[in-house]
Amino acid sequence: DAGVIQSPRHEVTEMGQEVTLRCKPISGHNSLFWYRQTMMRGLELLIYFNNNVPIDDSGMPEDRFSAKMPNASFSTLKIQPSEPRDSAVYFCASRLRDGGNQPQHFGDGTRLSIL
Amino acid sequence: KQEVTQIPAALSVPEGENLVLNCSFTDSAIYNLQWFRQDPGKGLTSLLLIQSSQREQTSGRLNASLDKSSGRSTLYIAASQPGDSATYLCAVGVGGADGLTFGKGTHLIIQP
């Protein structure tokens, strides 16, 4: 079975440009999470969705960040306008929310560099 | 606010040794605890998940324990191999549907 698929794997763009990161969760998973990883702060939760509905976006750093999940098989994280301090690896994860304890499954991440 | 700390930050040991990685968390009201492995340039691979009602979980050469009352977990790796070299991350969940709070990881090197 395919795992969590993220695109692009790498993105280099200039400050001020709009950046869109994409995620396809594992089929059948109904919770989706966006994380950001930096050397200084480690892995931080940005936002998560249950059944396509945003539940907690308190980790989104600024209004420049937005996330959507239009259907069960696709989510986007958008940064507009981008800044150099947004440079990081962005991970998407999904899990089956069945009331029990299911592990989160991570994609390989998008390495974002803002010049 | 939940904080997760992992000690040591880095560890280098010869092949074949048994080793223990430590994780502590400040709020004992957790739902579960998960150990991950991260290889360079890759995503996270889930190794073990311990529910708050459990004391330990085992998978092959890996054993994870949980002491919720003291806010601690350990990951025991038996008979270490060079292929075990990676960064190991501990993360706690505070609700069945919530995201995870991560430690900063232990960078492990197993010398051949």
Side-chain angles (χ1 to χ4, degrees), chain B residues 4-51:
Chain B
V4 180
T5 302
Q6 292 187 245
I7 295 174
L11 182 64
S12 180
V13 300
E15 180 178 4
E17 284 200 6
N18 303 324
L19 55 98
V20 175
L21 307 182
N22 296 292
C23 172
S24 62
F25 45 94
T26 54
D27 186 345
S28 62
I30 66 170
Y31 192 75
N32 56 37
L33 184 145
Q34 219 171 325
W35 282 93
F36 293 89
R37 167 188 174 135
Q38 185 174 27
D39 293 287
K42 293 289 189 179
L44 282 67
T45 301
S46 179
L47 298 173
L48 291 164
L49 182 149
I50 310 177
Q51 299 179 33

Side-chain angles (χ1 to χ4, degrees), chain A residues 87-101:
Chain A
S87 297
V89 182
Y90 291 80
F91 287 103
C92 175
S94 71
R95 57 161 278 183
L96 179 62
R97 183 174 181 263
D98 66 350
N101 278 266

Side-chain angles (χ1 to χ4, degrees), chain A residues 3 11 17-18 21-22 26 36 45-47 58 71 77 81 86 92 95 101 103 109 112-113:
Chain A
E11 174 89 10
Q17 297 297 307
E18 178 179 293
L21 311 181
R22 297 173 175 80
I26 293 173
R36 178 171 69 174
L45 176 68
L46 299 177
I47 184 171
S58 60
N71 56 62
L77 178 68
D86 303 330
C92 175
R95 57 161 278 183
N101 278 266
L112 178 64
S113 297

Side-chain angles (χ1 to χ4, degrees), chain A residues 9 31 33 35 37 39-43 45 48 50 91 95 97 99-104 106-109 111, chain B residues 1 31-32 34 36 38 41-46 49-52 89 95-104:
Chain A
R9 288 298 313 278
S31 288
F33 306 83
Y35 292 89
Q37 186 176 39
M39 288 293 293
M40 286 293 292
R41 301 174 67 90
L43 265 160
L45 176 68
Y48 74 94
N50 285 338
F91 287 103
R95 57 161 278 183
R97 183 174 181 263
N101 278 266
Q102 297 292 330
Q104 292 187 19
F106 280 70
D108 283 342
R111 185 172 295 275
Chain B
K1 179 186 173 186
Y31 192 75
N32 56 37
Q34 219 171 325
F36 293 89
Q38 185 174 27
K42 293 289 189 179
L44 282 67
T45 301
S46 179
L49 182 149
I50 310 177
Q51 299 179 33
S52 61
L89 294 151
D98 289 354
L100 297 170
T101 300
F102 281 85
K104 290 191 174 180

Side-chain angles (χ1 to χ4, degrees), chain A residues 2-107:
Chain A
V4 175
I5 299 172
Q6 292 187 246
S7 64
R9 288 298 313 278
H10 303 275
E11 174 89 10
V12 180
T13 192
E14 291 188 348
M15 175 179 171
Q17 297 297 307
E18 178 179 293
V19 173
T20 299
L21 311 181
R22 297 173 175 80
C23 175
K24 177 179 170 58
I26 293 173
S27 177
H29 283 191
N30 50 5
S31 288
L32 183 140
F33 306 83
W34 282 100
Y35 292 89
R36 178 171 69 174
Q37 186 176 39
T38 61
M39 288 293 293
M40 286 293 292
R41 301 174 67 90
L43 265 160
E44 300 175 291
L45 176 68
L46 299 177
I47 184 171
Y48 74 94
F49 297 81
N50 285 338
N51 297 316
N52 312 339
V53 176
I55 302 300
D56 183 359
D57 65 354
S58 60
M60 297 284 262
E62 300 172 33
D63 290 346
R64 299 183 295 107
F65 286 69
S66 63
K68 294 183 179 179
M69 192 164 186
N71 56 62
S73 59
F74 184 66
S75 177
T76 60
L77 178 68
K78 187 174 292 188
I79 308 173
Q80 167 64 23
S82 58
E83 297 183 3
R85 59 191 166 131
D86 303 330
S87 297
V89 182
Y90 291 80
F91 287 103
C92 175
S94 71
R95 57 161 278 183
L96 179 62
R97 183 174 181 263
D98 66 350
N101 278 266
Q102 297 292 330
Q104 292 187 19
H105 297 266
F106 280 70

